[in-house]
Amino acid sequence: MNEELKGEVTRGARALVVYPQMRGRGDLDTGARLEEAKGLALAIGLVVGDAMAIPIREPRAGTLFGEGQIQNIGVACELNEAELVIVDGSLSAIQQRNLEEKLKRKVIDRTGLILEIFGERAATAEGRLQVELAHLDYQAGRLVRSWTHLERQRGGFGFLGGPGETQIEADRRMIRDRMAKIRRELEQVRRTRGLHRERREKAPWPIVALVGYTNAGKSTLFNRLTGADVMAQDLLFATLDPTMRAIRMPGVEKAILSDTVGFISDLPTQLVAAFRATLEEVTAADVIVHVRDIANPDTDSQKRQVLDVLSGLGVLTGAEDEGEDLLAIPIVEVWNKWDLLGPAHAAELREAIAHREGETIVPLSAMTGMGCDDLLDAVSAKLTVGSKLYTFAIPAADGQRLAFLHARGDVVSEEDAGEGPEGPQLRVKVRLTDRELGRFSAL
């Protein structure tokens, strides 16, 4: 946890979750939002004593909540013996400080809570750098809270500020220097990742990226399809660092399956910026598999949150009159956790799928394996759509290009073509998509 919470709030500490219900907000249902906030607290080992929604008509600049509402929060803290108050929304530095003074307890907002989770879960060097950059960016504007013990009065003899302000400026300079250093290191990581991406594009294997709202079951599905042992728990942000494994599917000898970080509503802007290099891996995919928790009452709202992030990455290029997004990369939608549905609900959803023309939707249960073969068939169909028949005369000794055609194309026939300039040749008839033809030509 960050420096401000160390020594004061530890794993197992009791917390009170407060959701400021803003008028006119059209995001998740209030009950679902409270459950999600409780899940975030659970993800860093906190014990949630209670969760409450407080309607906000006019946000107070200094405290967000009104005086009576703050008193109610204080009473709830006493009843639940809460050491920490989690405000499931954004707080300014002043609001956070004022609430702490009035409640006599630590207060963190949604951004701070998510940053704590990412800081605890990031496993790779890149992930740790990204989290540190996001955390420094978040804390830079809140340093005033760290120096309340120093004098804040205006100094005499021409000095514009007291020693407290001087210390804050020195600290801010240190943070700016550290952030600049991290950005340089991440830029090097980005260049290295770009080189790896170029190398993969030349390699004879398509890339399939799993995306979805956090806790939708991506890692469980990833493990089911690849036989891997990526951490998969009923926790928000159980996995952060992207993982890649090879899989086989009909008509495609080998593909690379990538498991990415889960999305969430109101994802802190600092994290979106810091993790952009990781998220950009999605833009290099040949097919995106959007995993949805179809048993969640707010699955439609969660879908909108994921599509918003994909749109920001350029995966979605616009909107049609019907409200559906135009796809830059083919998407297969997986309706996961089908095993949690009752028979009537499942029948209703199957009928809905039948009426969704132009979309590829696969009912699936990553826990039981139901529908996994259908998913592989659907992804394979996306990878091979629009393929055309080509005939190539290739030297029999050119193993690289022959292997490419067998791995990325549908080889119809292969026969002896006699002698050529480079020795014995093979005449290969193969179906290739335009994208694979371009990659083959590059070889």
Side-chain angles (χ1 to χ4, degrees):
M1 304 180 86
N2 69 27
E3 293 300 325
E4 295 179 13
L5 267 69
K6 279 182 180 175
E8 296 185 53
V9 178
T10 58
R11 294 185 71 88
R14 293 184 66 81
L16 176 73
V17 172
V18 179
Y19 172 48
Q21 196 173 7
M22 302 291 186
R23 187 167 55 182
R25 286 193 60 165
D27 55 5
L28 296 180
D29 170 76
T30 300
R33 183 66 182 244
L34 286 172
E35 286 301 315
E36 183 176 278
K38 288 161 66 175
L40 289 171
L42 178 66
I44 54 172
L46 298 174
V47 176
V48 179
D50 195 10
M52 56 196 293
I54 296 181
I56 304 290
R57 293 180 181 176
E58 293 293 336
R60 303 289 179 91
T63 57
L64 181 62
F65 303 102
E67 287 297 326
Q69 293 172 329
I70 293 175
Q71 290 178 11
N72 292 338
I73 295 172
V75 171
C77 287
E78 293 292 340
L79 292 175
N80 291 280
E81 299 178 350
E83 307 164 53
L84 171 71
V85 176
I86 299 169
V87 178
D88 190 31
S90 296
L91 292 176
S92 68
I94 296 299
Q95 288 172 339
Q96 186 174 358
R97 182 187 66 185
N98 289 341
L99 285 173
E100 287 185 341
E101 288 178 352
K102 290 177 179 293
L103 296 171
K104 309 300 181 189
R105 288 168 174 82
K106 295 299 297 180
V107 176
I108 60 173
D109 64 2
R110 183 179 177 86
T111 298
L113 183 59
I114 294 176
L115 285 171
E116 297 299 338
I117 298 170
F118 274 59
E120 189 172 280
R121 298 280 169 74
T124 64
E126 178 190 359
R128 287 192 291 270
L129 283 173
Q130 289 168 329
V131 169
E132 184 180 356
L133 177 61
H135 224 141
L136 289 171
D137 187 22
Y138 175 70
Q139 290 293 344
R142 297 169 185 260
L143 287 177
V144 63
R145 302 173 61 247
S146 303
W147 304 103
T148 53
H149 62 290
L150 296 176
E151 191 205 338
R152 296 304 311 255
Q153 301 296 321
R154 178 185 294 274
F157 302 103
F159 291 103
L160 295 178
E165 289 169 314
T166 303
Q167 179 64 66
I168 290 171
E169 286 306 315
D171 221 43
R172 282 185 178 144
R173 243 188 334 269
M174 290 173 62
I175 284 183
R176 285 197 298 269
D177 292 345
R178 177 61 182 158
M179 288 175 69
K181 183 175 185 295
I182 293 174
R183 286 194 176 103
R184 288 194 297 270
E185 292 181 27
L186 284 175
E187 180 61 24
Q188 181 59 46
V189 170
R190 189 191 65 79
R191 285 197 293 267
T192 303
R193 190 183 287 277
L195 291 173
H196 290 169
R197 192 179 296 135
E198 289 177 10
R199 198 173 301 135
R200 284 200 303 270
E201 287 177 355
K202 292 178 181 178
W205 306 304
I207 299 171
V208 180
L210 295 179
V211 303
Y213 206 80
T214 183
N215 210 29
K218 296 184 304 302
S219 296
T220 303
L221 179 59
F222 183 85
N223 291 341
R224 170 71 64 176
L225 295 177
T226 65
D229 57 355
V230 172
M231 178 183 176
Q233 294 184 10
D234 187 19
L235 278 179
L236 300 181
F237 297 118
T239 50
L240 291 184
D241 297 297
T243 309
M244 295 188 178
R245 294 287 190 278
I247 60 169
R248 294 178 180 273
M249 60 185 68
V252 180
E253 182 180 343
K254 182 178 179 181
I256 304 299
L257 187 65
S258 172
D259 183 20
T260 62
V261 63
F263 304 152
I264 196 168
S265 62
D266 295 341
L267 187 66
T269 54
Q270 294 94 340
L271 277 175
V272 173
F275 275 79
R276 187 165 186 83
T278 304
L279 293 173
E280 281 176 350
E281 284 293 298
V282 176
T283 64
D286 296 270
V287 173
I288 291 173
V289 176
H290 178 192
V291 183
R292 294 176 58 186
D293 177 359
I294 203 63
N296 191 303
D298 276 288
T299 183
D300 290 332
S301 180
Q302 293 180 352
K303 176 182 176 178
R304 286 195 299 273
Q305 300 288 345
V306 172
L307 294 183
D308 284 347
V309 177
L310 293 180
S311 180
L313 293 172
V315 173
L316 307 179
T317 59
E320 297 176 343
D321 294 338
E322 295 83 5
E324 291 297 326
D325 293 289
L326 300 173
L327 306 182
I329 300 174
I331 292 182
V332 175
E333 198 169 289
V334 167
W335 288 8
N336 190 29
K337 305 192 181 181
W338 200 266
D339 55 305
L340 301 181
L341 302 177
H345 192 189
E348 181 183 325
L349 289 177
R350 284 194 183 277
E351 186 174 347
I353 291 174
H355 290 87
R356 299 276 284 270
E357 296 182 5
E359 297 181 68
T360 305
I361 301 172
V362 179
L364 184 142
S365 169
M367 286 297 293
T368 67
M370 183 277 289
C372 286
D373 289 340
D374 295 336
L375 172 60
L376 294 177
D377 289 339
V379 172
S380 176
K382 291 287 186 185
L383 289 173
T384 57
V385 69
S387 58
K388 300 173 185 175
L389 186 63
Y390 298 92
T391 301
F392 300 106
I394 301 174
D398 192 346
Q400 182 185 17
R401 292 205 294 167
L402 287 172
F404 182 99
L405 294 179
H406 280 277
R408 298 301 290 265
D410 179 14
V411 176
V412 177
S413 66
E414 185 177 319
E415 56 188 27
D416 184 14
E419 287 290 321
E422 301 176 40
Q425 288 187 317
L426 295 175
R427 182 178 291 106
V428 182
K429 287 187 178 181
V430 58
R431 294 187 185 277
L432 291 174
T433 64
D434 290 342
R435 185 168 182 171
E436 301 315 325
L437 177 64
R439 288 178 173 175
F440 177 73
S441 300
L443 293 177

